[in-house]
Amino acid sequence: MNQLAILALTGVIGFVLFAFAQRAQLDRAYEQRALAIAQTAAADPQIKRAMEYGGGGDVVQTVAERIRKASGASYVVVIDLHGIRHSHRIPALIGEPVDEPIVVRDGHPHVGTDQGATGRSANGKAPLYGRFGALVGEVSVGIPEHDVLGELWRELPTFALYAAIATSIGAAAAYLLARRLKRTTFGLELEEIAGLLQDREAMLHGIREGVVAFDPDGRITVVNDEARRLLGLGNALGHQLEEVLPDGRLRRALDGTLAGTDVSVLTDDHCLAVNRMPVTLHGQALGAVVTVRDRTELIGLLRELDSVRGLTDALRAQQHEFTNRMHTLAGLLDIGEHQSAYEYAIETAHSGQALTEAVRRHIGNQLIVGLIVAKATVAAERGVRIVLTEDSALGADPPHLHSLLTIVGNLLDNGIDATAEAPPVDGGRLIRLTLAEEAERIVVRVADNGPGIAPGTSQSIFDDGWSTRPERGTARRGLGLAMVHRLVQRHGGTIRVSEGPGAVFAVVLPLPDTAAAPVPQGALFTAASPMGGEG
């Protein structure tokens, strides 16, 4: 209804403006017509001859009236250079002077509007020359205004019809456009759309979850502040995903190549859970919406919780072992075998320190020592023995310390899980660890005698979420090896893994320069974890 009122008002305004424009055009046309009549009268030989000799007489009045009646003009007035009329529609004015000056003395015709004795007229004035070319007067011709208005009124119905047709076409176009807009906006009014937009902006930028929306062509249409922070998307609106993100697991999770819920993705700073949902409304595909959650702290807490549970189980097992030893010692004392009891106590006291001392002979950093001893204790409770090779040598302040903690911890966890679940082998379940600080690099090597890596999967095992084992407790599978791979790449190192029985992981980290890149803090939540493998 509002559109129709606007169209009607526009049509009326256009009609009025067109009427004024047509009136001005008719005025100019009638002025030129009056000038043409004046020029015709000025060219009449009888008038020229009569005015040239100064008398004029009845000849001028007779010829002028004949021309006036033939042309339908309001008046045809012949005036000499002294301003005296020699012809007029009203005979009483013949011989009387005119009020205005003679304007044709410049030799040019003039047009305009005249308010004379016969009323308002469109006027044209032409210079009157004698037979020998001398200016002898002027001829002034007027066409009454009611003729102009009559012509205008005759044309107005046609103009009104055109305006009505234009308004009708505009109304029909507005109706069709409104229907199309209704279908496009699913029947929502402008106020409802504005309200939805305000609600959307408030929701998108207020939630602590990244949101990225795509149109049906795959272009990014919405990116909230949290998504920019988590994904590093700057000015991404209107771009395709491949234009703003390099190829990798993150891009494949965002574009839907990786299907599933809570797809785990590791970036340099965050551990993310990505979910993609196609959007349809009334059967029409509108694109897709991707939500991104930062699970860095949550994964760290879950791993820490799972590590505490692992340590609790280990301590419980050690408690049983300690109880058994105490019972053995008490039994020896009861039967009077004091020397045997003494020797058993000494052996028991030194057995726990043997591993720590063996590690300290090769490793100077206490954090690394503590990590290896803790992993060895946990592994022992699961029937796995960790051995530090004799060629291991690491100083008290090794480069990439935090990264080494994460790399060694995750590789050992992965080896413990794989070896403990494998069938028994000759010589027992064994993991060999090598840590060597050389002149230009640090070498980490973890070899186990478990089932190993299946052929053709040596590259896939470093993908986020890849795992050969089901979820255990609260630990999130498939992140440890991916984190190790990302840390190694960040430091410009290499990581290799053997295929077939008995997995061997070999990591080489170059020594850092003075401008070494910082280790992403999000990757450190597993650095000192004594349990909770992720491979």
Side-chain angles (χ1 to χ4, degrees):
M1 184 61 69
N2 293 334
Q3 292 87 342
L4 293 179
I6 292 174
L7 284 173
L9 179 60
T10 303
V12 171
I13 294 175
F15 175 75
V16 172
L17 294 177
F18 188 81
F20 277 104
Q22 188 65 15
R23 168 62 190 274
Q25 183 177 352
L26 288 175
D27 285 340
R28 290 191 296 272
Y30 273 84
E31 288 170 358
Q32 293 298 321
R33 179 181 172 186
L35 177 60
I37 297 172
Q39 290 173 334
T40 300
D44 188 275
Q46 298 183 53
I47 294 178
K48 294 175 66 173
R49 185 169 50 252
M51 293 299 296
E52 185 177 20
Y53 292 106
D58 295 336
V59 175
V60 175
Q61 171 69 4
T62 301
V63 175
E65 282 299 297
R66 185 175 69 247
I67 293 175
R68 182 187 67 80
K69 293 177 181 178
S71 62
S74 176
Y75 57 84
V76 177
V77 180
V78 180
I79 307 169
D80 60 22
L81 295 179
H82 300 290
I84 303 301
R85 298 184 182 94
H86 289 265
S87 67
H88 201 281
R89 181 178 178 179
I90 302 174
L93 297 178
I94 298 176
E96 296 294 329
V98 295
D99 296 331
E100 64 273 6
I102 305 299
V103 297
V104 297
R105 293 182 184 274
D106 57 2
H108 298 289
H110 293 266
V111 295
T113 302
D114 178 48
Q115 185 67 43
T118 59
R120 186 177 177 86
S121 303
N123 179 259
K125 296 178 180 180
L128 178 61
Y129 295 97
R131 289 182 300 168
F132 300 102
L135 183 64
V136 297
E138 74 174 12
V139 178
S140 178
V141 176
I143 297 178
E145 185 181 31
H146 60 78
D147 289 353
V148 181
L149 293 177
E151 182 68 21
L152 179 62
W153 282 108
R154 286 191 294 272
E155 294 182 358
L156 283 182
T158 303
F159 300 155
L161 177 61
Y162 291 160
I165 293 175
T167 302
S168 301
I169 294 175
Y175 174 73
L176 295 176
L177 180 61
R179 287 191 58 186
R180 181 178 178 182
L181 291 176
K182 282 285 188 180
R183 289 196 301 269
T184 304
T185 59
F186 304 100
L188 297 176
E189 298 295 337
L190 292 178
E191 296 79 4
E192 295 174 320
I193 296 175
L196 288 177
L197 179 60
Q198 293 174 353
D199 294 341
R200 189 200 73 166
E201 291 298 312
M203 177 187 68
L204 287 179
H205 298 289
I207 60 177
R208 296 297 297 171
E209 186 170 300
V211 177
V212 183
F214 300 89
D215 66 9
D217 296 327
R219 290 185 177 84
I220 300 175
T221 56
V222 174
V223 181
N224 71 342
D225 296 337
E226 187 69 3
R228 295 181 192 274
R229 183 182 72 86
L230 296 176
L231 304 178
L233 298 178
N235 187 17
L237 291 178
H239 293 278
Q240 297 283 346
L241 195 58
E242 56 268 20
E243 298 175 3
V244 295
L245 283 179
D247 187 23
R249 182 176 176 84
L250 177 59
R251 198 174 86 182
R252 294 195 296 271
L254 292 177
D255 63 17
T257 304
L258 295 178
T261 59
D262 286 342
V263 178
S264 298
V265 177
L266 281 179
T267 67
D268 288 343
D269 301 303
H270 305 285
C271 176
L272 306 176
V274 179
N275 288 279
R276 180 183 172 98
M277 179 66 66
V279 178
T280 58
L281 187 60
H282 302 313
Q284 180 180 354
L286 301 181
V289 173
V290 176
T291 58
V292 181
R293 285 176 290 162
D294 186 3
R295 303 190 62 176
T296 305
E297 295 183 1
L298 177 60
I299 292 296
L301 292 174
L302 291 177
R303 287 175 60 83
E304 184 177 351
L305 175 61
D306 198 67
S307 300
V308 171
R309 289 181 177 177
L311 283 177
T312 302
D313 294 338
L315 290 174
R316 185 179 295 111
Q318 288 181 348
Q319 179 185 3
H320 287 294
E321 182 180 357
F322 180 78
T323 302
N324 291 332
R325 291 177 179 177
M326 292 297 101
H327 288 164
T328 302
L329 185 61
L332 290 174
L333 293 175
D334 285 341
I335 63 176
E337 294 290 337
H338 299 92
Q339 183 64 31
S340 298
Y342 175 77
E343 293 175 355
Y344 182 75
I346 295 299
E347 179 185 355
T348 302
H350 287 284
S351 62
Q353 297 179 356
L355 175 62
T356 303
E357 294 301 326
V359 174
R360 282 179 173 173
R361 285 199 303 268
H362 300 276
I363 306 298
N365 184 269
Q366 299 304 314
L367 292 177
I368 300 291
V369 171
L371 177 65
I372 295 175
V373 171
K375 295 296 184 183
T377 302
V378 173
E381 296 304 326
R382 300 184 65 184
V384 179
R385 187 162 55 96
I386 295 179
V387 175
L388 187 66
T389 60
E390 291 297 326
D391 57 345
S392 297
L394 196 66
D397 188 20
H400 312 306
L401 175 59
H402 292 290
S403 296
L404 279 176
L405 289 168
T406 300
I407 293 171
V408 173
N410 280 282
L411 291 180
L412 288 178
D413 285 338
N414 191 74
I416 293 171
D417 285 342
T419 309
E421 297 172 2
V425 296
D426 294 338
R429 300 180 178 92
L430 180 65
I431 296 176
R432 295 183 179 274
L433 171 65
T434 301
L435 275 174
E437 182 178 356
E438 301 177 357
E440 297 181 352
R441 62 181 186 172
I442 295 178
V443 177
V444 179
R445 188 172 181 271
V446 177
D448 62 57
N449 58 358
I453 305 299
T457 61
S458 59
Q459 296 302 319
S460 301
I461 63 174
F462 298 114
D463 291 340
D464 305 349
W466 190 95
S467 180
T468 59
R469 299 184 301 279
E471 300 289 341
R472 177 172 55 84
T474 56
R476 184 71 176 180
R477 293 293 189 185
L479 295 180
L481 291 179
M483 188 179 304
V484 169
H485 185 260
R486 186 172 295 274
L487 278 176
V488 171
Q489 284 187 325
R490 186 176 183 85
H491 289 294
T494 60
I495 180 171
R496 296 179 182 178
V497 59
S498 65
E499 295 183 353
V504 178
F505 288 85
V507 175
V508 176
L509 297 179
L511 296 184
D513 53 23
T514 56
V519 177
Q521 294 301 314
L524 297 180
F525 57 79
T526 58
S529 171
M531 279 289 290
E534 290 282 345

